[in-house]
Amino acid sequence: MEAVGGVLFSGIVLGGMYALVAMGLTLQYGVARIMNLAYGEFVVAAGFAALWLFTAAQVSPLLGLLLVMPAAFLLNLMIYRVLLLPLVRRARSPGALETDSILATFGLLFVVQGVLLAAFGGAYQNYSYLSVPIGLFGATVTANRLVALLFAAAIGTALWLWLARTRAGTAVRAVAVNPEAAQLVAIDVRRVAALAFAVGGAMVAAGGVLVSMFLTFNAAMGVVFTMKALVVVIMGGVGNLMGCLVAGLLLGLVETAVASWVDPGLTLAATYALFLFVLILRPAGLFGRPAR
Amino acid sequence: MSGTALALALAALLALGTVPLLDDGFWLALAINIAQYAVLATAWALFSGPTRYISLATAAFFGIGAYTVAVLGEALPWPLVLLAAGGIGVLVSLLVGLATLRLSGVYFVVFTFGLAELIRQLVTWFEVNVARSIGRYVFVDITQPQIYWQLLGLFGLLLVIGTWLSRSRLGFALRVIGEDEVVARHAGIDTARVKIALFALSALFLSLTGAVMAPRWTYIDPAIAFNMTTSFQVLIMALLGGAQSLLGPLLGVIPLVLLFEVLGANFPNHFSILLGAAFMLVVYAVPRGIVGLLARARRRAAA
């Protein structure tokens, strides 16, 4: 039986990561209207990038963020321009775009997973960075978890400030609320969508790098990350950053509690249980208003 | 499909039943593979074609069928094993349907996306903690020709049901839902019930296929049974052929089974990349499937 303090801390760290990753997804789905099923693969890819930087070039993951995040931004911008824009152009209705983007990113999932498998193999990987124990509120935690949590909080806050305080961020929020009305106030919806998609990609890369500091991962784990991010987004209400934070923390806590006190093999079951709970009681999310 | 076309198709299936008498090596194995995906893709399209709800749960139901055989195969006679496999599949599909199909389509996609992984984890947990072993040997007296004949039988049954469905009120309701769900509700269709019923019917065939295929492996563990790639391959085959018509998926199954055979043999390490690339090619280049291309060619010839 693990102590409550340790579980609480681990849960908050894991939940913070889920929240960060889900914020990226909520930008991609809520603003760019792309249901990205390859999302989790990019979490894992960023993790592998951090691993490679650390073991091959001795670059610390925190410095690595400065490299991986812009790279992910550009990569996702290209993915949107090259792969997804044709689908946006050909879609006759939002429903058609949703279907097409689900299919296209499902294909992308296998491509990215295949590339990771070919490059790094299928084995579980981890690396040891800052794994020194420190005492915190009476519990012993590793420094890398604490650092990851602080960085996630900083990046999440930066995203929030960008959305709330800048002109570009306001345009992004306007498109999230109503793409047709946004056009009326001279917002180039497709450019904003591309921007939101790329920023979302940078967020997911940040999440992947931070997660890789303390979690063991392998090339096949992307699906689980996608699933959890989707559940957090739906639970928090699509396009709602605060909802992501609360739902992410909730999922992290529930999952850590289940993993430490019940069985580590049942974490996805815990995710699904939460998902079912939301679907049955509050289909529009914890903070959302019902759509119909 | 018209009555004559159905009769012709069933006669063709009977003729194809002679394959095991001619060859029991490579060609039979290939025929089993094609028949397996033909049943899976057609069963997938039975629900997802007319409703346009994309189910990513094929591997979950296939795995349920296969794993049921691994657990019950020795304990019960074969027909009862099949019954159990189909029954469990239908039960799970009803649960999924009740939870998600009353809501908008995206919840359904998300739920089915992780379903195979969820069931794999649950089965693994059960095997480790309760049964105390991971993986099982499949000991049943089913030969390769028998697997093949059962698959042909399932396919024939699917064609009969599909033809009946296209003429029934239920099938009409499904097509209305696919065109516009709001209209369907206003026309007095109980959309949730129709969708759940069809999803369960589709799941029944997917689970039965898994059960029928299980004796091909001598050893099954949860990772083999609940493999996401199955969902993926079935989806791409049905899309390439055309999910809107009954025989459409078959047109995608034959070329892709052959292609995957070649790719798997020659590029085992890059199979996943090529699979994904092939999939995206289908989504971008043939959005309406081979059936759509044929219809366009026919229209052009007429004009």
Side-chain angles (χ1 to χ4, degrees):
Chain A
M1 197 80 169
E2 262 185 76
V4 177
V7 170
L8 214 58
F9 178 75
S10 298
I12 289 173
V13 172
L14 196 62
M17 300 303 131
Y18 288 155
L20 188 65
V21 167
M23 280 174 190
L25 186 64
T26 212
L27 280 179
Q28 294 195 339
Y29 183 55
V31 181
R33 317 274 156 177
I34 300 292
M35 179 62 144
N36 188 355
L37 292 185
Y39 200 74
E41 306 305 321
F42 288 104
V43 176
V44 178
F48 272 112
L51 168 82
W52 183 75
L53 281 172
F54 186 68
T55 50
Q58 280 85 46
V59 177
S60 97
L62 299 176
L63 265 179
L65 277 177
L66 289 179
L67 274 168
V68 175
M69 281 179 73
F73 180 89
L74 289 177
L75 180 68
N76 277 276
L77 196 62
M78 262 173 54
I79 289 176
Y80 188 84
R81 287 266 167 81
V82 177
L83 288 179
L84 300 170
L85 212 50
L87 298 181
V88 175
R89 289 215 181 92
R90 109 178 165 198
R92 293 209 190 96
S93 66
L97 176 60
E98 198 167 278
T99 307
D100 273 354
S101 66
I102 286 168
L103 294 175
T105 55
F106 199 41
L108 189 63
L109 182 164
F110 279 80
V111 173
V112 177
Q113 197 181 68
V115 169
L116 290 178
L117 274 174
F120 296 99
Y124 279 91
Q125 305 274 0
N126 68 338
Y127 58 94
S128 174
Y129 172 71
L130 277 187
S131 81
V132 284
I134 47 172
L136 193 76
F137 306 123
T140 313
V141 299
T142 51
N144 51 22
R145 281 175 191 259
L146 189 63
V147 170
L149 181 64
L150 293 176
F151 267 75
I155 294 170
T157 312
L159 177 70
W160 182 76
L161 285 175
W162 178 69
L163 284 175
R165 297 290 162 84
T166 66
R167 212 178 152 79
T170 309
V172 168
R173 281 186 295 135
V175 174
V177 174
N178 189 337
E180 279 81 35
Q183 278 175 328
L184 297 180
V185 290
I187 291 173
D188 184 344
V189 172
R190 280 183 190 165
R191 251 192 68 208
V192 170
L195 179 68
F197 192 85
V199 172
M203 301 298 289
V204 68
V209 170
L210 294 176
V211 162
S212 76
M213 284 168 48
F214 61 91
L215 226 59
T216 308
F217 54 97
N218 78 350
M221 267 174 74
V223 173
V224 176
F225 275 116
T226 310
M227 192 62 214
K228 285 173 182 166
L230 285 169
V231 169
V232 168
V233 167
I234 290 172
M235 212 154 70
V238 175
N240 186 333
L241 284 193
M242 208 33 118
C244 272
L245 183 62
V246 175
L249 288 176
L250 189 65
L251 182 64
L253 283 170
V254 168
E255 224 183 84
T256 313
V258 168
S260 354
W261 293 329
V262 188
D263 191 297
L266 291 179
T267 50
L268 195 61
T271 309
Y272 260 88
L274 263 181
F275 188 28
L276 261 182
F277 178 76
V278 172
L279 282 181
I280 291 166
L281 294 180
R282 293 199 63 100
L286 297 175
F287 301 100
R289 265 169 275 126
R292 38 175 180 134
Chain B
M1 222 173 3
S2 70
T4 4
L6 179 64
L8 275 175
L10 292 179
L13 282 183
L14 271 183
L16 282 172
T18 57
V19 166
L21 309 177
L22 305 172
D23 180 86
D24 55 3
F26 172 76
W27 294 106
L28 178 59
L30 186 66
I32 288 179
N33 225 354
I34 291 179
Q36 171 200 355
Y37 283 111
V39 179
L40 290 175
T42 311
W44 179 87
L46 200 62
F47 169 74
S48 295
T51 58
R52 295 169 206 266
Y53 277 63
I54 301 167
S55 163
L56 303 175
T58 309
F61 295 117
F62 183 85
I64 286 173
Y67 216 80
T68 307
V69 172
V71 175
L72 296 178
E74 280 180 283
L76 295 175
W78 184 241
L80 285 183
V81 176
L82 287 183
L83 200 67
I88 298 173
V90 167
L91 206 67
V92 172
S93 72
L94 288 178
L95 287 176
V96 175
L98 282 173
T100 58
L101 285 174
R102 296 170 301 126
L103 305 164
S104 81
V106 68
Y107 296 105
F108 174 75
V109 176
V110 171
F111 204 95
T112 57
F113 178 62
L115 192 65
E117 186 65 19
L118 170 73
I119 298 179
R120 188 186 69 75
Q121 281 197 6
L122 288 177
V123 171
T124 307
W125 176 81
F126 179 85
E127 296 283 58
V128 169
N129 290 286
V130 184
R132 305 256 166 222
S133 78
I134 189 90
R136 289 166 182 270
Y137 289 93
V138 185
F139 293 121
V140 283
D141 257 342
I142 304 287
T143 61
Q144 299 290 320
Q146 282 170 334
I147 294 179
Y148 178 64
W149 287 323
Q150 289 178 78
L151 289 172
L152 286 187
L154 281 178
F155 191 62
L157 198 59
L158 258 181
L159 292 184
V160 172
I161 291 180
T163 307
W164 166 78
L165 199 63
S166 65
R167 296 172 191 177
S168 69
R169 282 174 70 90
L170 186 61
F172 187 57
L174 269 179
R175 285 196 297 277
V176 180
I177 292 174
E179 289 299 328
D180 192 327
E181 200 154 341
V182 179
V183 170
R185 264 200 301 272
H186 281 278
I189 296 171
D190 185 345
T191 53
R193 196 148 74 180
V194 170
K195 285 184 287 184
I196 293 171
L198 251 288
F199 186 53
L201 183 65
S202 162
L204 172 68
F205 277 91
L206 299 175
S207 314
L208 284 176
T209 313
V212 166
M213 288 302 289
R216 257 194 134 190
W217 291 291
T218 39
Y219 173 84
I220 290 188
D221 69 18
I224 298 176
F226 299 97
N227 184 348
M228 274 279 284
T229 315
T230 313
S231 302
F232 187 65
Q233 288 180 327
V234 168
L235 180 58
I236 165 178
M237 287 168 183
L239 286 179
L240 175 63
Q244 309 295 331
S245 72
L246 193 54
L247 283 177
L250 188 63
L251 295 178
V253 165
I254 295 170
L256 285 178
V257 166
L258 296 176
L259 177 71
F260 292 158
E261 197 96 343
V262 173
L263 291 182
N266 293 312
F267 308 98
N269 295 324
H270 300 94
F271 184 62
S272 175
I273 304 178
L274 296 169
L275 204 68
F279 185 87
M280 292 173 83
L281 200 66
V282 170
V283 174
Y284 286 98
V286 215
R288 291 177 190 288
I290 294 176
V291 169
L293 289 183
L294 290 178
R296 203 163 66 187
R298 211 175 302 142
R299 266 200 307 277
R300 216 170 273 164

